[in-house]
Amino acid sequence: MSLQDTVLMQLRDLILSGQFEPGHRLAEQQLAERLGASRTPVRAALVTLEQEGLVEANETGKYLVRQFTAQEVTDAIAVRGHLEGMAARLVAEHGVSRQLQGQLQACLDEGDRLLADSPLTIESYAAYAVMNDRFHALLLEACGNRALQRAVALNDKLPFAPASAMLPMQGTVALDRDWMLYAHRQHHMLFNALQRGEGARAQALAVEHTEVAQMNMRLALERRAESEQVMPVMRLVVG
């Protein structure tokens, strides 16, 4: 990656890991010193992050870490659901290649294996998140629509929008494992719809699939003190 890309990634990670409070002013010189870079790539990174929606400029042109309402977060999750629903429909209509079928089946088998343990370990959750990201990425890649892929990539830069963003909250109570099992059953149903070429059903299942993330967000807001320890980025969500 170029220096500018590296600075952008590092600064985005600092924000999403909760290193700054909402409303915190992001001073170029201080950030440059912290990241070991000049002010030029830091300035460019701030412009990009404003376009992504993670920071905002005040009336004097200074950049501040944005606050997000719960509605904004749920809207971003809903957008992902509809975009992935379109991707799933396209994959079903195009037909599932033998290679894609094998790759998706491997994800399903891995998820089945991981969720067989009760209780789940932290390592199991981490491995499940990797599998979950791969499952969703395979569908998006296979849809063949580059505009759709770019839209998902942009939306995924918002807090809690990516497919596995809410998984760290899983397992804090026993009920959450049931939600994970339900979500993985949806993976199986979606795979079945793709194999059968049922575009409308695949699309509906992909949209419904995000309800698990919405439920986890509601639980995280109800257990804010606990959720902020697991996911410091929850501090950016107000209300």
Side-chain angles (χ1 to χ4, degrees):
M1 293 187 296
S2 67
L3 176 60
Q4 184 169 319
D5 290 336
T6 301
V7 169
L8 173 61
M9 181 185 69
Q10 291 175 324
L11 185 51
R12 186 190 292 122
D13 286 347
L14 284 173
I15 295 172
L16 293 179
S17 63
Q19 297 295 314
F20 306 115
E21 295 293 327
H24 178 88
R25 181 190 164 195
L26 298 169
E28 291 179 8
Q29 186 59 42
Q30 292 177 357
L31 290 173
E33 294 172 358
R34 181 168 183 170
L35 300 176
S38 67
R39 295 178 61 173
T40 300
V42 170
R43 188 179 303 115
L46 289 170
V47 171
T48 300
L49 292 173
E50 182 185 24
Q51 294 169 348
E52 294 177 0
L54 283 179
V55 306
E56 59 187 353
N58 62 14
E59 62 278 3
T60 63
K62 305 300 182 182
Y63 289 103
L64 310 175
V65 175
R66 264 200 65 193
Q67 288 184 332
F68 292 85
T69 65
Q71 186 61 54
E72 286 179 299
V73 173
T74 57
D75 286 347
I77 296 173
V79 167
R80 175 171 60 80
H82 286 284
L83 291 174
E84 290 190 342
M86 180 179 175
R89 177 176 61 79
L90 291 172
V91 172
E93 292 175 351
H94 294 162
V96 182
S97 68
R98 182 172 299 180
Q99 178 182 4
L100 178 60
Q101 179 173 319
Q103 292 171 323
L104 291 175
Q105 185 63 60
C107 289
L108 295 177
D109 293 343
E110 175 72 358
D112 291 341
R113 182 184 68 80
L114 292 168
L115 293 178
D117 294 334
S118 182
L120 299 179
T121 64
I122 294 176
E123 291 76 18
S124 296
Y125 285 112
Y128 186 88
V130 172
M131 179 285 299
N132 189 58
D133 284 338
R134 176 161 174 74
F135 185 89
H136 286 261
L138 285 168
L139 288 180
L140 188 61
E141 181 182 354
C143 81
N145 187 316
R146 296 187 65 182
L148 175 57
Q149 292 163 350
R150 287 194 296 269
V152 172
L154 180 60
N155 192 66
D156 278 357
K157 291 182 173 65
L158 296 174
F160 312 106
S164 293
M166 292 307 299
L167 284 178
M169 277 304 295
Q170 300 278 10
T172 51
V173 296
L175 179 62
D176 287 347
R177 180 175 178 275
D178 295 335
W179 278 107
M180 284 188 77
L181 290 168
Y182 172 69
H184 196 55
R185 283 198 295 271
Q186 288 181 318
H187 286 154
H188 280 277
M189 291 187 290
L190 178 55
F191 181 55
N192 179 263
L194 295 172
Q195 287 181 303
R196 293 173 177 270
E198 299 170 346
R201 181 166 178 260
Q203 183 171 15
L205 284 168
V207 173
E208 182 185 344
H209 187 53
T210 56
E211 178 54 32
V212 175
Q214 301 282 23
M215 174 64 72
N216 283 332
M217 174 52 66
R218 290 191 286 271
L219 289 173
L221 290 171
E222 291 171 5
R223 309 187 307 235
R224 181 175 285 276
E226 180 183 357
S227 64
E228 286 185 3
Q229 292 181 356
V230 180
M231 292 186 298
V233 70
M234 279 295 299
R235 298 169 189 155
L236 300 184
V237 183
V238 297

